[in-house]
Amino acid sequence: LAGYDRVQIEPVQVAFHKNWDPTRTGSRIKLGKEERENIRNGVAAAVQEAFVTELQERSRYKVVDDAGPDVLRVKVAIVDLYVNAPDTESLARSRTYTVSAGQMTLFAELFDSESGQLLARVVDKREARDNQMYQLSSSVVKRGELQDIASSWARLLRAGLDNAHGIGTK
């Protein structure tokens, strides 16, 4: 990875866990297609933002849109997304408690942007914090957990690039 100073991040793809069949919080009514898409789009945007922020604002790497000789193309997918007690606007008066906000798996591939050569493949499953007791489930808590996990993945990519460039090593 030492030859890469710029990073092209493809739009993040999100796929739910095959057994995830959520109901609206406090109800037996299944989530609709639009509500599922809102969750999918929200997760994709948060993960994309975490990678851009970590690479562009907290390191020396520039995030770009085009291929080039020093551009690493990163393809990120979130697979097996499982959200416990998904938020819906319809029942704002109900309260739900969970032990964990859910879980998701990162599937990422790193490519040379010009040749398309696969350089690395990463798979990492993470679960939101398990506090060993029930806590109020809210969109704020879930968003925070999502950002923590996505940021940790972005930091790992930055650390790999830094290591390849000899940054932070003696």
Side-chain angles (χ1 to χ4, degrees), residues 72-164:
L72 177 69
R73 182 167 54 100
V74 179
K75 184 178 181 180
V76 176
I78 300 303
V79 298
D80 293 337
L81 175 64
Y82 199 104
V83 180
N84 293 328
D87 292 324
T88 58
E89 304 270 332
S90 61
L91 295 174
R93 291 176 279 161
S94 69
R95 290 186 177 197
T96 302
Y97 293 85
T98 61
V99 175
S100 168
Q103 63 186 27
M104 60 184 169
T105 302
L106 169 83
F107 181 84
E109 294 178 313
L110 310 179
F111 299 90
D112 178 87
S113 69
E114 289 190 318
S115 70
Q117 178 184 1
L118 177 64
L119 303 171
R121 184 172 284 139
V122 178
V123 178
D124 186 42
K125 181 178 180 178
R126 299 281 172 107
E127 184 170 343
R129 277 177 280 225
D130 180 347
N131 295 323
Q132 302 296 315
M133 64 180 157
Y134 287 104
Q135 64 182 12
L136 182 62
S137 178
S138 71
S139 60
V140 173
V141 170
K142 289 181 195 133
R143 193 174 307 114
E145 293 289 328
L146 169 61
Q147 289 170 337
D148 287 350
I149 293 170
S151 293
S152 71
W153 286 329
R155 282 190 303 275
L156 289 172
L157 175 58
R158 181 183 49 86
L161 286 165
D162 286 352
N163 188 41

Side-chain angles (χ1 to χ4, degrees), residues 6 21-22 52 66 110 124 136 168:
R6 299 182 298 156
D21 189 22
V52 169
D66 299 317
L110 310 179
D124 186 42
L136 182 62

